[in-house]
Amino acid sequence: MSSLPWLHPERVALIQKGLAERIMILDGGMGTMLQNHKLDEHGYRGERFAGGHDSTHDHGHDHPGECDLKGNNDLLLLTQPHIIQGVHQAYLDAGADFVETNTFNATRVSQADYHLEHLVPELNREGARLAREVCDAMTLKTPEKPRFVIGVIGPTSRTASISPDVNDPGFRNVTFEELKANYVEAARALIEGGADTIMVETIFATLNAKAALFALSELFDELGARVPVMISGTITDRSGRTLSGQTAEAFFYSVEHIQPLSVGLNCALGAEDLRPHVGMLARIANAAVSTHPNAGLPNAFGEYDESPESMAATIRSFAADGLINIVGGCCGTTPAHIAAIAAAVAPYAPRAPKSIVEAA
């Protein structure tokens, strides 16, 4: 795959230049911001789905009226696009170099929960297009600081590694081939919509990630060109392992064959608890190292209490010790967190991996 040309070489060159010069900034939590809008069922449905069905779609397999759509944040790309673009803009105003598309669950496996599988290509194209519009407008205002769109592919709601049935450990509710097909469809539409990179993120089961990376390799071969791939796993608890049992070190060696632009960790833990695992990646990775932690651990109400100042102080030590190239926030983080983090890491040089300029 590394022999393929870049699909947008000028954009890749700008990303590589930024990584060589400074610690680059990711955006923060999308769900956290959307919760502030307190949308009800009608808010999620908008006009298009108000009648209990997709008014633009006649296929018999479309049954969104049979279940609630509230909570399907990806659907807001179609029903409340101005809200999504407002979140992107807020993070860009806070100092983000990269914004992540609102497509974490925009795969057939995940949208099946809402009977909206047919929307997957549209969701991903619109997710990238909306982010592209905001980033391009911001770049026009500050051409010395170009902004970039990360096309997000989430882990889906199923795993090929672990049985969902405690009484049947050999059972799987999804196959590698099904996951691969899901990821090809999503990634193709993200690229069509204008994503600069693809991030396979919040990886809790490496076999799912393998399916995503295989899908990207096939898609790039078909296109005859590639975009940079970013990979971000998740350590699920203080044991220091992913849900499927890998340490950060083992996780990296499982995915390094794709020659990622960056590899990192996000979600599940706050910055302080992620530090030793990010440090491990910093020691071994021949790619940029990223992290976008939660705003601490959730409290008894499932909310996140770590303040922007506290989180930024912890992440400042990551930068001071030369551990990171890209940093942002995940659950519970807001534009205030991102602004504080950006200010905290600004004085420090980026980590110098073995071959950051050549990394793909």
Side-chain angles (χ1 to χ4, degrees), residues 27 36 77 82 88 126 138 147 163 168 183 210 229 265 274 302 305 327 330 339 344 353 355-356:
D27 59 4
N36 293 336
L77 291 163
H82 63 287
H88 291 325
E126 282 300 288
M138 198 71 173
R147 306 318 206 281
S163 172
D168 186 0
Y183 292 132
K210 290 274 194 180
V229 176
L265 297 169
L274 270 184
D305 299 325
V327 65
C330 201
S355 56
I356 190 169

Side-chain angles (χ1 to χ4, degrees), residues 14-34:
L14 289 171
I15 293 172
Q16 291 172 332
K17 182 175 184 291
L19 288 172
E21 293 176 347
R22 58 195 170 85
I23 296 172
M24 298 186 77
I25 307 300
L26 270 173
D27 59 4
M30 173 62 75
T32 303
M33 297 291 286
L34 295 179

Side-chain angles (χ1 to χ4, degrees), residues 189-261:
L190 287 168
I191 291 171
E192 290 171 351
D196 295 307
T197 76
I198 298 294
M199 178 184 278
V200 183
E201 78 154 325
T202 319
I203 298 164
F204 59 83
T206 307
L207 190 56
N208 283 42
K210 290 274 194 180
L213 299 179
F214 185 59
L216 290 173
S217 295
E218 283 202 346
L219 178 60
F220 296 163
D221 284 339
E222 177 189 329
L223 297 175
R226 61 192 172 121
V227 300
V229 176
M230 307 170 80
I231 299 172
S232 186
T234 186
I235 300 297
T236 54
D237 56 38
R238 286 175 170 152
S239 71
R241 295 178 180 270
T242 65
L243 187 64
S244 56
Q246 284 190 311
T247 63
E249 181 178 16
F251 166 70
F252 170 74
Y253 288 125
S254 296
V255 299
E256 68 166 336
H257 65 280
I258 201 74
Q259 296 180 279
L261 175 75

Side-chain angles (χ1 to χ4, degrees), residues 10-235:
E10 70 289 349
R11 296 186 198 172
V12 177
L14 289 171
I15 293 172
Q16 291 172 332
K17 182 175 184 291
L19 288 172
E21 293 176 347
R22 58 195 170 85
I23 296 172
M24 298 186 77
I25 307 300
L26 270 173
D27 59 4
M30 173 62 75
T32 303
M33 297 291 286
L34 295 179
Q35 287 169 11
N36 293 336
H37 288 272
K38 302 187 185 307
L39 295 172
D40 58 11
E41 181 70 13
H42 176 73
Y44 273 85
R45 286 182 175 269
E47 295 304 315
R48 179 168 169 177
F49 298 92
H53 65 281
D54 183 349
S55 61
T56 69
H57 188 76
D58 297 325
H59 292 187
H61 61 252
D62 170 35
H63 304 290
E66 296 178 1
C67 63
D68 290 343
L69 301 185
K70 183 180 178 180
N72 186 1
N73 288 345
D74 304 63
L75 187 62
L76 298 176
L77 291 163
L78 309 183
T79 60
Q80 304 285 355
H82 63 287
I83 291 179
I84 303 303
Q85 286 196 312
V87 173
H88 291 325
Q89 186 64 58
Y91 282 122
L92 291 173
D93 290 341
D97 297 291
F98 297 100
V99 296
E100 300 170 81
T101 58
N102 180 43
T103 54
F104 187 80
N105 287 305
T107 53
R108 285 184 180 265
V109 166
S110 295
Q111 287 300 312
D113 294 341
Y114 303 97
H115 306 293
L116 294 177
E117 299 96 318
H118 71 282
L119 292 179
V120 166
E122 184 180 6
L123 289 172
N124 284 285
R125 275 193 298 270
E126 282 300 288
R129 187 187 68 80
L130 294 175
R132 176 89 271 147
E133 280 187 1
V134 180
C135 283
D136 286 350
M138 198 71 173
T139 297
L140 281 176
K141 292 180 182 178
T142 57
E144 73 283 358
K145 185 181 180 183
R147 306 318 206 281
F148 305 100
V149 176
I150 296 175
V152 167
I153 297 178
T156 81
S157 55
R158 300 183 184 181
T159 171
S161 300
I162 301 169
S163 172
D165 183 352
V166 295
N167 297 312
D168 186 0
F171 174 70
R172 298 293 184 271
N173 59 4
V174 71
T175 68
F176 186 92
E177 284 297 319
E178 288 169 339
L179 287 171
K180 186 199 78 170
N182 271 247
Y183 292 132
V184 167
E185 181 179 42
R188 186 194 309 278
L190 287 168
I191 291 171
E192 290 171 351
D196 295 307
T197 76
I198 298 294
M199 178 184 278
V200 183
E201 78 154 325
T202 319
I203 298 164
F204 59 83
T206 307
L207 190 56
N208 283 42
K210 290 274 194 180
L213 299 179
F214 185 59
L216 290 173
S217 295
E218 283 202 346
L219 178 60
F220 296 163
D221 284 339
E222 177 189 329
L223 297 175
R226 61 192 172 121
V227 300
V229 176
M230 307 170 80
I231 299 172
S232 186
T234 186
I235 300 297

